[in-house]
Amino acid sequence: GSGEVAVEGVFQAIAGRVGATKFLGYEATQASSKIVALVADGKETDTVGPYSTNVAVVTAETPFYGESGGQVGDVGEIVGAEGRIEIEDTQKPVEGLIVHQGRVVLGSISRGESVSLEVDAEARAATVRNHSGTHLLHWTLREVLGPQVSQAGSRVGPERLRFDFTHDSGLDEEQ
């Protein structure tokens, strides 16, 4: 009854119709692509207009990383001929589909339109550094505490990282 199942159904239908989003983010933080689907307030639409909030944009390809494995999704902007959407998060609600979530800050954007996608490169670089930090922390914990240390989760974003791990005893002050 929360509505999340209905929204997931919308993305299932979109994925079935348009296929997987091609991820370009390993090579670039900017790209051009075509909008293949738009969702506003949980329902598919052809156009999103001025100051629309809670907008989801699906493009054929994207440089935006969708949240996965504890790493947050990218932020940035999508710009078309007549409008601009500020992307506040990027998700993968169903297998293979990368969805940009945000709000229209100027004009309007329509399905079928060619747009420019630009990831906030500073935020991406900070997230990548923190992601590397999780690997270094895991290696160091195994060196100091032993091979029984196991990663049990993480949350990696541009501002910080959180690293959860299991170990067979409590840590002493020196450790």
Side-chain angles (χ1 to χ4, degrees), residues 30-103:
Q30 298 179 349
S32 295
S33 190
K34 180 179 173 183
I35 294 178
V36 295
L38 286 170
V39 176
D41 298 317
K43 297 179 182 155
E44 271 199 87
T45 186
D46 290 330
T47 302
V48 290
Y51 310 106
S52 294
T53 58
N54 199 18
V55 171
V57 182
V58 180
T59 54
E61 50 194 22
T62 184
F64 283 74
Y65 179 83
E67 182 174 329
S68 180
Q71 184 169 316
V72 301
D74 279 329
V75 298
E77 68 179 8
I78 295 177
V79 179
E82 303 290 327
R84 182 166 57 94
I85 299 176
E86 182 179 298
I87 302 305
E88 299 163 334
D89 193 12
T90 306
Q91 293 286 317
K92 296 179 187 175
V94 296
E95 184 67 33
L97 197 67
I98 299 174
V99 177
H100 314 87
Q101 298 175 333
R103 61 189 178 92

Side-chain angles (χ1 to χ4, degrees), residues 89-137:
D89 193 12
T90 306
Q91 293 286 317
K92 296 179 187 175
V94 296
E95 184 67 33
L97 197 67
I98 299 174
V99 177
H100 314 87
Q101 298 175 333
R103 61 189 178 92
V104 178
V105 293
L106 179 71
S108 63
I109 301 274
S110 298
R111 185 166 49 92
E113 184 176 346
S114 291
V115 292
S116 171
L117 299 98
E118 185 170 348
V119 172
D120 180 329
E122 277 187 37
R124 163 79 72 82
T127 300
V128 167
R129 285 190 299 273
N130 284 335
H131 180 88
S132 295
T134 64
H135 292 286
L136 293 170
L137 181 57

Side-chain angles (χ1 to χ4, degrees), residues 3 26 29 56 63 65 67 71 79 93 133 160 171 173:
Y26 293 125
T29 56
Y65 179 83
E67 182 174 329
Q71 184 169 316
V79 179
R160 65 186 183 94
L171 304 182
E173 181 113 3

Side-chain angles (χ1 to χ4, degrees), residues 146-162:
Q148 73 282 1
V149 170
S150 180
Q151 182 174 351
S154 67
R155 181 74 173 165
V156 180
E159 299 87 24
R160 65 186 183 94
L161 69 88
R162 187 197 78 231

